[in-house]
Amino acid sequence: MLIIGKVEVEYEITEVPIQGMDCADCTRHVQHALARLPGVESVDVLLGAEKAIIRHETGDLDLAAIRKAVAEAGYAVPAETLPKDSPTQSPGFSRQFLILLGLLFGVVLFAAVIGEGLGLFDALTARLPWPVGLAIVLAIGYPVFRNVFKATLRGQVIAHSLMTLGVLAALVVGEWATAAVVAFFMRVGDYVERFTAERARQAVKDLNRLAPQTARVIRRGEEVVVPIAQVQVGETVVVRPGEIIPVDGEVVAGVATIDQSNITGESMPFEAGPGARVFAATLTSLGSLRVRATQVAANTTFGRVVRLVEEAEANRGEVQRLADRFSAYYLPIVAGIALLTYLISRDPLASVAVLVVACSCSFALATPIAILASVGAGARQGLLIKGGKYLEILAKADVLLIDKTGTLTLGKPRVTDVVTLESLLPANGLPTPEAYLLQLAASAERYSEHPLAEAVRAAASAQGIPLLEPQAFEALPGMGVRARVNGSQVMVGRRNWIVSHPEHSKTGIYSKTEDLQARGKTLLFISSDEQPVGVIAVEDTLREEVPGAIRETQAMGLRQIELLTGDNPRSAAALAGLLGIPYRADLLPEDKIAIVKEYQARGHTVVMVGDGVNDAPALAQADVGIAMGAAGSGIAIEAAHIALLRDDWRLVPQALRIARRTLGVVKMNIGFTGLYNVVGISLAAMGLLPPGLAAAAQSLPDLGILVNSSRLLRQK
């Protein structure tokens, strides 16, 4: 909602599928047409997803107006506009069709080369009347000429405008055979660009094919198959062996093996039982499930992945913006070169060749295709990248800031040491004093909800130690718990709380814990009937892949890595020392934001890795925020620029690799296109590249960009 003075303006989002877009130039025309509609605040037109995302004033836009604006731009909205959750479909190209097109291209190119070299075009032009030649040219190039004519009436210059001008120039000087060859290669270029766009859309199509279309829901005691859009939150969905789970939810009955690689990128199967969280678009086997739906349709984790992959190209980096600005000046520059060529050489065919060879969408395609390839490849590996600009920024990052709990560690404390006084004897049939101490502490903590209490109970359970029923249980915030266990008053908590009792100070138990404290572990002191009996040490578990991932990140040249945590300095120092990185401890969320700003003020590009909840402000402030464990977490996805769909730190250096490779491919695409066009225009201006060959050559940069960018789809 936007408030202007006392007038409140509410906005809503409308998504509309668009047909007929083949290149980035097409998206600009659609965007300009829709942006002129009244009430429209912003428009993003996505080539990969074949749709427009329109942000407009609520209730101030109708489909008829959208259809008209898109049609006037030369494109179309499908007769039956698909709902937001339905994947758009576009025509594909079979392998046989492409082979046939390639053979035809080769035959005509060979004929053009021989014809130009032997002067056969001149002989053909002399034998056939000019009107017949004109009819041949129009028949070959009619679809392209029609689009150029419509664009010209709207005051627009499109990529084929230059080539059409070249065809007209050839006709004017009587070279209709040359014009026909140019028109043929215009059509070939159209198919090449459409094929290139189809390949760019492949990542989105691959994801859309995974989307479940129906669900088996229990209604009024019966199983009913309904379209996925009709499933409601809270309903119970039945999933049989070999079926795709249609919703995000919680398993309420059944056990099954689930392949979650579509969502998390994890290749190992997951054993799901009652209470387990499952995700839409994952595949079940070896069992059936009943799942209570918590998220449905576009709100599922899979739906968010598809939406963000579709929209990733809308967030363009500086390289893309430079390419867009260059494209705006490119056509006038080429037209000027063609005019200058004619004034100097007085050779109209050389001017025609200049116009024809420069008529390529490759500058506009150089970045989007690479971005879409990387975003799609990242999504399949468990990396959700929100836009191309974040890949570009990440590739230039030189500072990495890391949260501790839930990021470097699992966020689940575990018992590592149990220390008892020599005077404590086993009791209740337990074999050792340590087992008896665990029983006392776990029984006293039996009804505590504190994470440390859960760790103590888990340790007792792992050793098969039975818990006793506590009486007179009392939880004291910031101190610990007190309860009567087996007739004794047991206290579990902080050292200061235990030491505050004078009778506890005479024990030597504290001298036994100095090493544990030095290693940054959290200590729980236990007393029985006001006498200290031991200490239990607890620590958060470091993710096993973290040390290797940190070393890998450092080896990639990103050496300024710092640990930021709200934990105590001893705990932070122990973990930072293990990883060989500096640290700052006792930090509040606002402190982390200040540190990010501090680095940014010094000219650094900052990446922040956090768990996406308490670190959300710092994630948003960083140049690139990376959230751990984003599957199912809307907060993480909203706050971060890149989200890891599984808790695996190896994805952090992988994100860096993808970003750097993507930026390298984009620069290579732009460099190749620029060099190719400079050479092609130079040869054409010197009369060394005749119009026929120039028409064939103008499609090659698009193919080069496609081949180069396709390497990003194979990232491992």
Side-chain angles (χ1 to χ4, degrees):
M1 179 182 296
L2 176 65
I3 301 177
I4 305 175
K6 295 183 178 180
V7 180
E8 295 184 357
V9 181
E10 293 187 353
Y11 289 102
E12 63 179 330
I13 302 295
T14 298
E15 294 186 7
V16 181
I18 308 292
Q19 291 179 337
M21 297 188 300
D22 298 326
C23 66
D25 213 22
C26 304
T27 65
R28 284 196 293 273
H29 296 321
V30 175
Q31 185 174 22
H32 292 158
L34 293 175
R36 289 195 293 266
L37 293 175
V40 171
E41 196 267 339
S42 66
V43 180
D44 283 318
V45 181
L46 311 180
L47 176 65
E50 294 182 281
K51 69 179 181 182
I53 302 174
I54 308 170
R55 186 170 186 263
H56 58 92
E57 295 177 18
T58 302
D60 202 22
L61 195 67
D62 59 70
L63 186 57
I66 295 174
R67 288 184 190 278
K68 182 179 179 182
V70 172
E72 289 176 351
Y75 307 93
V77 176
E80 294 184 1
T81 300
L82 300 175
K84 291 182 183 181
D85 304 329
S86 300
T88 58
Q89 300 294 329
S90 57
F93 293 89
S94 68
R95 185 179 184 86
Q96 292 79 6
F97 174 80
L98 291 173
I99 291 174
L100 180 62
L101 181 63
L103 290 174
L104 183 59
F105 178 88
V107 169
V108 176
L109 177 60
F110 178 76
V113 173
I114 298 299
E116 291 269 11
L118 299 180
L120 298 181
F121 286 174
D122 294 334
L124 185 61
T125 302
R127 287 178 179 274
L128 287 178
W130 188 87
V132 174
L134 176 62
I136 293 174
V137 173
L138 291 177
I140 295 174
Y142 171 72
V144 176
F145 299 150
R146 180 189 58 194
N147 290 338
V148 171
F149 180 71
K150 288 182 177 180
T152 303
L153 291 179
R154 296 189 303 268
Q156 297 174 343
V157 177
I158 62 177
H160 283 321
S161 296
L162 282 178
M163 218 169 190
T164 302
L165 186 59
V167 170
L168 289 175
L171 289 173
V172 168
V173 298
E175 295 288 340
W176 68 260
T178 298
V181 172
V182 172
F184 169 79
F185 283 118
M186 287 170 68
R187 298 296 303 279
V188 172
D190 267 359
Y191 284 116
V192 168
E193 287 169 6
R194 194 173 304 171
F195 173 68
T196 304
E198 285 295 304
R199 290 294 298 166
R201 297 179 182 121
Q202 199 60 47
V204 176
K205 286 188 170 184
D206 289 344
L207 287 172
N208 279 325
R209 275 196 287 267
L210 300 174
Q213 301 300 312
T214 60
R216 189 178 290 105
V217 182
I218 297 178
R219 291 178 177 173
R220 294 181 293 276
E222 297 182 355
E223 294 183 11
V224 181
V225 177
V226 300
I228 192 65
Q230 296 181 12
V231 180
Q232 303 295 317
V233 172
E235 288 191 305
T236 299
V237 176
V238 178
V239 186
R240 294 175 180 171
E243 292 184 343
I244 295 175
I245 297 175
V247 297
D248 283 4
E250 180 181 345
V251 176
V252 295
V255 177
T257 301
I258 303 177
D259 177 3
Q260 293 189 320
S261 58
N262 292 339
I263 297 298
T264 66
E266 177 57 62
S267 59
M268 296 299 294
F270 167 68
E271 298 294 331
R277 293 173 59 200
V278 294
F279 305 105
T282 57
L283 181 66
T284 60
S285 62
L286 303 177
S288 61
L289 299 172
R290 292 197 173 196
V291 179
R292 181 177 60 82
T294 57
Q295 299 288 346
V296 298
N299 293 323
T300 63
T301 300
F302 176 76
R304 293 198 299 268
V305 170
V306 172
R307 185 169 64 253
L308 289 173
V309 170
E310 286 179 344
E311 296 173 2
E313 63 176 296
N315 294 319
R316 301 180 175 188
E318 184 59 30
V319 172
Q320 176 64 46
R321 288 192 291 271
L322 287 173
D324 289 344
R325 288 196 293 270
F326 177 78
S327 295
Y329 298 103
Y330 179 64
L331 298 184
I333 291 173
V334 171
I337 294 174
L339 177 61
L340 186 63
T341 298
Y342 177 73
L343 293 176
I344 294 175
S345 67
R346 297 296 175 179
D347 182 358
L349 291 183
S351 296
V352 169
V354 168
L355 294 172
V356 168
V357 77
C359 179
S360 172
C361 287
S362 49
F363 270 116
L365 290 172
T367 301
I369 290 182
I371 294 299
L372 285 172
S374 288
V375 169
R380 287 194 294 271
Q381 297 176 46
L383 274 167
L384 189 53
I385 303 164
K386 284 181 149 184
K389 70 178 181 181
Y390 302 118
L391 284 173
E392 184 179 330
I393 295 170
L394 183 61
K396 301 173 182 177
D398 57 352
V399 172
L400 178 63
L401 305 178
I402 312 169
D403 172 56
K404 174 179 174 286
T405 305
T407 303
L408 291 175
T409 64
L410 295 174
K412 295 181 178 179
R414 65 183 179 90
V415 172
T416 60
D417 303 271
V418 178
V419 180
T420 65
L421 287 176
E422 292 82 352
S423 57
L424 183 67
L425 300 175
N428 301 329
L430 296 174
T432 63
E434 289 77 14
Y436 178 46
L437 184 66
L438 263 179
Q439 185 185 58
L440 288 177
S443 298
E445 298 266 26
R446 186 167 189 171
Y447 298 116
S448 172
E449 297 179 354
H450 197 282
L452 297 182
E454 184 179 344
V456 174
R457 292 194 298 268
S461 175
Q463 296 184 30
I465 299 172
L467 300 188
L468 305 175
E469 184 65 29
Q471 298 174 345
F473 171 81
E474 181 182 13
L476 300 166
M479 297 293 184
V481 300
R482 179 165 46 206
R484 185 161 292 279
V485 178
N486 201 24
S488 300
Q489 179 176 279
V490 178
M491 298 168 61
V492 183
R494 298 177 58 180
R495 171 177 177 169
N496 291 343
W497 187 41
I498 303 297
V499 171
S500 65
H501 293 70
E503 60 273 17
H504 293 176
S505 61
K506 58 187 177 183
T507 178
I509 186 67
Y510 307 116
S511 63
K512 298 185 177 184
T513 64
E514 291 179 356
D515 179 59
L516 297 176
Q517 287 181 319
R519 284 187 280 162
K521 299 189 179 185
T522 300
L523 304 183
L524 297 175
F525 291 80
I526 301 99
S527 68
S528 177
D529 290 331
E530 300 187 347
Q531 294 297 322
V533 291
V535 174
I536 294 176
V538 179
E539 73 174 357
D540 201 352
T541 307
L542 179 68
R543 299 180 190 276
E544 62 179 0
E545 77 278 6
V546 165
I550 293 291
R551 289 193 298 270
E552 188 176 355
T553 304
Q554 291 171 326
M556 295 171 69
L558 209 159
R559 301 187 180 278
Q560 186 63 41
I561 302 176
E562 188 171 358
L563 172 64
L564 307 181
T565 178
D567 282 1
N568 63 78
R570 283 186 173 180
S571 177
L575 182 59
L578 180 65
L579 298 175
I581 59 176
Y583 71 92
R584 302 191 207 187
D586 284 334
L587 299 176
L588 297 173
E590 52 265 33
D591 298 326
K592 295 180 181 179
I593 295 177
I595 293 171
V596 172
K597 290 181 177 179
E598 171 191 322
Y599 275 110
Q600 290 173 331
R602 284 157 39 194
H604 293 285
T605 301
V606 180
V607 177
M608 174 74 191
V609 185
D611 63 12
V613 181
N614 61 328
D615 297 308
L619 289 172
Q621 176 63 42
D623 296 288
V624 177
I626 301 179
M628 297 288 293
S633 172
I635 296 175
I637 290 181
E638 290 301 322
H641 309 113
I642 296 175
L644 312 185
L645 293 177
R646 68 176 189 272
D647 288 327
D648 187 341
W649 243 86
R650 289 171 295 185
L651 290 174
V652 174
Q654 174 65 355
L656 282 167
R657 274 193 297 271
I658 289 177
R660 291 179 178 182
R661 286 195 67 191
T662 303
L663 187 59
V665 166
V666 167
K667 289 181 176 179
M668 192 180 299
N669 285 346
I670 292 177
F672 166 72
T673 299
L675 179 61
Y676 191 93
N677 282 354
V678 167
V679 173
I681 291 173
S682 300
L683 292 176
M686 291 186 291
L688 301 177
L689 187 66
L693 291 181
Q698 63 87 27
S699 298
L700 296 182
D702 291 352
L703 289 176
I705 286 173
L706 172 63
V707 172
N708 191 40
S709 299
S710 294
R711 297 187 295 121
L712 297 170
L713 291 169
R714 299 190 296 272
Q715 298 186 89
K716 301 296 183 183

